[in-house]
Amino acid sequence: LEAAPIAEEPPVMTAVSDLQPGMVLARDLLSSDGVVLLATGHVLTAELIRRIELRQSRDGMSMLIPIKKRGKP
């Protein structure tokens, strides 16, 4: 018997201004030309958030970052 796949919860699409260290990417973060910037499961740090903010301001468009929902404690 095969176990039924566990349905993943959809990510929380989060504005760059709301990102906090410790948040986990739910999907690959891609550049506008499709290059993977950060892989799924990457834990955000203050430095990474700063870099994402810089990219957003350089690109001149708002980004929404797919973040995994936190599990219940």
Side-chain angles (χ1 to χ4, degrees):
L1 287 174
E2 286 187 43
I6 297 171
E8 273 193 48
E9 288 199 48
V12 178
M13 299 310 289
T14 307
V16 173
S17 59
D18 293 332
L19 294 176
Q20 296 178 5
M23 289 181 165
V24 179
L25 284 180
R27 294 191 199 122
D28 289 347
L29 181 61
L30 304 175
S31 70
S32 55
D33 51 359
V35 175
V36 175
L37 302 173
L38 293 171
T40 301
H42 208 97
V43 178
L44 297 181
T45 63
E47 175 62 18
L48 284 174
I49 293 168
R50 188 183 70 79
R51 290 181 186 191
I52 293 168
E53 289 169 342
L54 287 171
R55 174 169 284 274
Q56 177 176 257
S57 64
R58 189 179 69 217
D59 291 351
M61 54 191 269
S62 295
M63 296 169 65
L64 289 175
I65 310 300
I67 298 296
K68 287 187 180 181
K69 286 186 179 179
R70 293 180 187 233
K72 305 260 191 278

